[in-house]
Amino acid sequence: MYVMEYIKNNLDQKLTLEVISDVANMSKATLNRHFLETIGLSPMSYVLKKRVEKARELMDKRQHNKTEVAQMCGFYDVSHMNKYL
């Protein structure tokens, strides 16, 4: 699904349901239904899951400090990121 690839490649951006539904060229309700049927998560839960996965991957590599990782993954700040790690 193109939308999933878009999310993966834009985790550092502000990804709202409106942005994602525009990318998918469908209504928010339709997008939500497709995500739930396909992967069992809402679009925003999927975004959070991918942000956490990327943050963990970057933290394991130890090439960036926590602030950089939080920014690269689209979290507001380190404490916001830590809440989900």
Side-chain angles (χ1 to χ4, degrees):
M1 182 186 251
Y2 169 76
V3 175
M4 296 164 107
E5 190 67 25
Y6 176 85
I7 291 169
K8 181 182 169 188
N9 292 330
N10 292 282
L11 290 173
D12 61 328
Q13 302 297 311
K14 183 174 181 180
L15 295 173
T16 63
L17 189 56
E18 185 172 340
V19 168
I20 297 168
S21 65
D22 285 347
V23 168
N25 197 27
M26 58 181 73
S27 72
K28 295 174 197 174
T30 301
L31 177 69
N32 197 48
R33 187 176 71 251
H34 281 293
F35 261 80
L36 289 172
E37 290 172 355
T38 305
I39 59 172
L41 295 171
S42 70
M44 298 316 297
S45 292
Y46 180 78
V47 168
L48 179 59
K49 178 183 176 195
K50 290 301 168 185
R51 284 183 167 148
V52 168
E53 287 174 1
K54 183 175 180 180
R56 286 186 176 144
E57 178 184 316
L58 291 170
M59 295 293 285
D60 286 345
K61 291 181 181 178
R62 299 178 189 252
Q63 295 175 335
H64 305 281
N65 65 44
K66 281 189 170 188
T67 301
E68 292 170 331
V69 170
Q71 290 172 345
M72 294 168 73
C73 297
F75 291 102
Y76 301 118
D77 55 28
V78 174
S79 64
H80 181 230
M81 179 178 71
N82 286 338
K83 179 178 174 183
Y84 297 102
L85 291 182

